Amino acid sequence: MHKNFGVLKSLFLAFMLVGLTACDTGFHENNVQLISSEDAYTDYPEGEVLAVLSSEFMRKTEAADKMSVFKYMTAEERDFVLSQQWIAGSMKTGRIDAKKVDHCYLLTSGREAMYAIFQHVENGFYLASLSIEGCFEAGETGDFGYGIALKEEDHIHVIRAPRGHFLEWAEVQIPMVKVVLGIDIDTDVSKDNFDRVRVSKVGAYLAYIKENKDIFEKIEKAVPLYFGSLNENQKRAVELLEVAEVKMKATKANK
């Protein structure tokens, strides 16, 4: 089970703790914080961040016999687990926690930490800005990665924008729009895409997300994230999986 939940750790650390621009999940990096405390979204619950495995994924895994933990359950227990719409995992190794700090979230995993601030764009789309330096107010300078998150019900998906697409979008804007949105593009084509365009107003990112959300993609191999507490059925399903895993490990250790 934890082999599958390790997918969450690698994704989440890449998106939230290593930095958006380092792993193709972010669409831009900038030297100015553009989200203010007034516009920050702070409704995510504090506490442990959990992995989400869909019922479809669980059934495919069980059918393919890759998740041998099911062999260590009774038929009734297996049916109960697979009857859940989705399963949340607590990741005992690589635990990730979210704590509100001012208008940001402090995200920690072991010794790694990053501050994340979110602003709602429209529908379920959110602009995310991340920094290892602290929780900054709009206009302050530092190193920030900007990316996109999609909230569907209680699940958070990390969204990928085509690499270099933000620069392409910015370049075709008419001069007056560039001024209004705070877009400044360097004409030196030898520079990296991220370095060629500087943004001074959050409106540029909001406009970009609104106009291009149809081309954004969920990362196929990534599991969604879940912030919040589990209901009783979810708790029982997780407990059954954990007990079965202990049995599986003990059996393998005695061979």
Side-chain angles (χ1 to χ4, degrees), residues 164-184:
H165 185 259
F166 178 69
L167 172 61
E168 295 174 8
W169 173 84
E171 285 182 319
V172 300
Q173 304 304 308
I174 63 174
M176 181 58 69
V177 171
K178 290 178 183 177
V179 172
V180 172
L181 295 179
I183 296 173
D184 182 28

Side-chain angles (χ1 to χ4, degrees), residues 102-206:
D102 297 325
H103 54 290
C104 292
Y105 290 88
L106 175 60
L107 307 166
T108 57
S109 178
R111 295 182 180 180
E112 298 180 86
M114 179 165 278
Y115 293 85
I117 180 172
F118 300 91
Q119 180 171 344
H120 183 237
V121 182
E122 66 177 18
N123 301 326
F125 286 91
Y126 290 79
L127 172 67
S129 173
L130 295 96
S131 170
I132 62 172
E133 300 175 26
C135 186
F136 290 84
E137 186 56 86
E140 295 185 87
T141 58
D143 293 321
F144 306 99
Y146 287 90
I148 308 162
L150 174 64
K151 182 177 181 181
E152 293 182 332
E153 296 182 347
D154 293 329
H155 300 166
I156 310 300
H157 301 268
V158 178
I159 301 298
R160 190 201 314 273
R163 187 165 182 82
H165 185 259
F166 178 69
L167 172 61
E168 295 174 8
W169 173 84
E171 285 182 319
V172 300
Q173 304 304 308
I174 63 174
M176 181 58 69
V177 171
K178 290 178 183 177
V179 172
V180 172
L181 295 179
I183 296 173
D184 182 28
I185 300 178
D186 195 318
T187 56
D188 186 352
V189 296
S190 66
K191 288 187 175 182
D192 184 89
N193 286 342
F194 290 127
D195 293 330
R196 286 192 57 209
V197 53
R198 293 287 113 190
V199 176
S200 60
K201 299 177 183 179
V202 72
Y205 293 150
L206 302 185

Side-chain angles (χ1 to χ4, degrees), residues 62-93:
E62 191 264 349
D65 199 31
K66 294 179 180 179
M67 204 170 194
S68 56
V69 67
F70 281 112
K71 297 179 180 179
Y72 298 86
M73 293 181 184
T74 67
E76 181 182 358
E77 290 171 340
R78 183 173 61 251
D79 290 343
F80 176 79
V81 171
L82 293 175
S83 71
Q84 303 304 305
Q85 186 176 9
W86 57 275
I87 303 295
S90 59
M91 290 191 311
K92 291 183 177 179
T93 58

